[in-house]
Amino acid sequence: MSERLTADVAIIGGGLMGCSAALALRRMNLSVVLLEQGWCGAQASGVNYGGVRRQGRPVVQLPLSQRAYAIWQRLPQLIGSDCEYAISGHLKLARNEAELASLEDYRGQADGFGLQLEILGREALRQRYPWLGENIAGGSLCPGDGHANPRLVAAAFALAARNHGADLREGTTVESAVFDGRQFTVCAAGGLEVKAKFLLNCAGAWGAKFAEQFGEQVPEYPIFPNMWVTEPMPKLVEPNVGIVGGGFYVRQVARGNFVLGGGRGTGQLAIASTRPDSAAMFASMRMACEFIPALRNALVIRSWTGVEGALPDHQPVLGPSVTTPGLFHAFGFSGGGFQLAPAVGEVLADLVAHGATATPIEAFSIGRFNAAS
């Protein structure tokens, strides 16, 4: 059975990027058909750590991140749910003076973006957070950062987009997308054909595959971040905690469980199969226990991973195609897209509706890979 649809905008990918774009476009009264191979938010958007973090981002991402931050403050008005979003702060730890100096340097770079970073020395840090371990030189606190429940956010954006009139097709795998000089024709399994003036490539780890169909080569590769959660424990840790150079990140939710991340799992993109890696998880857990000794008594009750798209320079592809008018990309966020996604949706809607956006995105152009080749 075949079905033919027309819309102003077709979107490939029902993660948080695609769903937030669908909602933003509908709020501009543009018709939208979104095609998702699985369930909306079931891939990277739904299985990540849930950090709503600005601290530590490359400075070039901060204008986009600040736009997203403003949207996070009004989630209930926008999508009808706060998605367990909480401003808890983000604390980045330094193990030695060199790492502490790097945090001070970053504070200088981020000055003017409104992060209000506070550098704390060892004694001040341990006085404020007595649950920390001994081997810490200091840290940087971003009090306005926080976290949300990733299993709720993309689903809530998808529901809001649908309630605003977007046509969301889950379980619909896109097989091809072509441009005839006037409009796009997107063909999906089951005989569905969508014609649209604009096409958004929000396909996550599959984004490079669709870019290639339009002659754009992007060195995207999949990553499989390890995540795990402990049993509920007495409330102890308020901020999200990470460390310079990575290794682990942790937060404690209102129910008392600690959610942790660190290391990489394994997977096969072709069959959408992923598994956490126990050795990498244990290594990260040992590091987390060194800095938060209370975790030594924690019982891990579940672990998981998912697939995300990454790029060699750890910057996403966001913006217009350099080969095809009306095509816009948003993929390859390298594990850092969750906080940015609400703003990414608005930026894509700006580009479709106005041909430009006030948010600087030049650093994320897909053209940087063409220039490199």
Side-chain angles (χ1 to χ4, degrees), residues 226 264 276-283:
N226 279 327
R264 294 281 186 259
D277 182 274
S278 57
M281 188 183 81
F282 290 147

Side-chain angles (χ1 to χ4, degrees), residues 62 86 291 326:
L62 289 180
F291 295 99

Side-chain angles (χ1 to χ4, degrees), residues 322-343:
V322 296
T323 64
T324 309
L327 171 63
F328 300 98
H329 302 290
F331 64 89
F333 284 80
S334 304
F338 183 68
Q339 190 270 344
L340 300 174

